Amino acid sequence: MRGRYTRSSYQVMIVPSTNLRGRRHSTEWVVLRSLLISFFVIAVAWSVYVVQQISEVAGQDEAQKADAIAVFGAAEYRGRPSPTLHFRLDHAVDLYRIKIAPIVITLGGGGDKDSGNTEGGVGRDYLLAHGIPFGNIIAETRSTDTEQQVRRLAAIARDFNLHHIVVVSDGTHLFRIRELCQSVGLDVYTSPRATIGHIGQWDLAMRYAHEVLSYTAWKLHLNIGWLRRGFSGDDDF
């Protein structure tokens, strides 16, 4: 009979709840995978960009007439500079002798295991032993990492009316130093210390990884000092 339906004249399709859950989980996985791939691509692109910037700054020496030379700290051993700090200080002495600047600033504090010694103090003593007069040296002895050294350097620059500063460190360290200095209003020229001997590929890769992580953490306002120290392999930065 027209216009009337019986229960046998049509069927209702019921989708099992397990199928709905499976589709939902599949969609969630696709979204998660897309996010992970996007994050990976962005991370790789960012890392490549930072590595390029590090290499570019490391490969050029901008040393020119300035108000001061600032030596960024590295480890010291019982009052004696580590090889890294030794080479940085030697480079500063060379710059001073060719009259790049009349003042040399040594940066870096000390820890509980340093028996009262500081990187800045050890640097000052080294410079004194190499003929730079006491009155031409400023030793900063309170900072514990690169960011603190930059802030202390900015304070010294204000106190002593220093407008242009040549910053000395390892080549791979200088890009981050330059960016940190610019962020606090310092006008700096980068000057890498000489590379002595052969640096293995693994050691070089760890230096770059350390700088990429450190610079990225600074840009994101993250504190990952423990992880950066693991990549650096020492306390030179």
Side-chain angles (χ1 to χ4, degrees), residues 185-197:
L186 288 174
D187 184 14
V188 299
Y189 311 123
T190 59
S191 186
R193 61 96 167 173
T195 300
I196 308 298

Side-chain angles (χ1 to χ4, degrees), residues 25-164:
H25 291 161
S26 177
T27 301
E28 291 173 352
W29 167 244
V30 169
V31 173
L32 178 60
R33 184 175 62 182
S34 298
L35 290 174
L36 289 173
I37 291 174
S38 298
F39 176 80
F40 177 77
V41 170
I42 292 171
V44 170
W46 170 256
S47 298
V48 169
Y49 164 76
V50 176
V51 166
Q52 289 175 339
Q53 297 303 305
I54 292 170
S55 297
E56 181 178 341
V57 174
Q60 57 188 6
D61 190 338
E62 298 178 339
Q64 55 190 281
K65 290 289 185 177
D67 299 312
I69 301 161
V71 184
F72 276 73
E76 57 82 24
Y77 304 133
R78 298 182 179 180
R80 299 178 64 86
S82 64
T84 298
L85 183 54
H86 185 285
F87 297 139
R88 293 180 189 179
L89 292 166
D90 280 345
H91 186 52
V93 170
D94 291 339
L95 294 175
Y96 177 85
R97 287 175 176 169
I98 61 174
K99 302 185 184 305
I100 286 293
I103 296 172
V104 182
I105 304 167
T106 57
L107 302 164
D112 295 336
K113 299 180 180 179
D114 293 319
S115 303
N117 294 309
T118 62
E119 295 167 6
V122 169
R124 175 196 57 215
D125 294 343
Y126 187 90
L127 297 178
L128 286 170
H130 284 74
I132 299 181
F134 184 85
N136 294 62
I137 304 170
I138 300 172
E140 183 282 312
T141 59
R142 292 162 52 188
S143 58
T144 59
D145 59 27
T146 300
E147 293 179 29
Q148 288 187 20
Q149 289 178 21
V150 168
R151 289 195 292 270
R152 293 294 300 150
L153 178 60
I156 292 169
R158 289 192 299 271
D159 291 343
F160 288 86
N161 197 30
L162 306 174
H163 301 288
H164 308 287

Side-chain angles (χ1 to χ4, degrees), residues 152-204:
R152 293 294 300 150
L153 178 60
I156 292 169
R158 289 192 299 271
D159 291 343
F160 288 86
N161 197 30
L162 306 174
H163 301 288
H164 308 287
I165 301 173
V166 175
V167 290
V168 173
S169 189
D170 289 35
T172 53
H173 194 198
L174 286 172
F175 167 67
R176 180 159 58 101
I177 288 174
R178 187 190 71 182
E179 297 299 297
L180 287 166
C181 287
Q182 290 178 353
S183 74
V184 295
L186 288 174
D187 184 14
V188 299
Y189 311 123
T190 59
S191 186
R193 61 96 167 173
T195 300
I196 308 298
H198 174 71
I199 299 177
Q201 292 298 314
W202 175 254
D203 182 46
L204 186 61

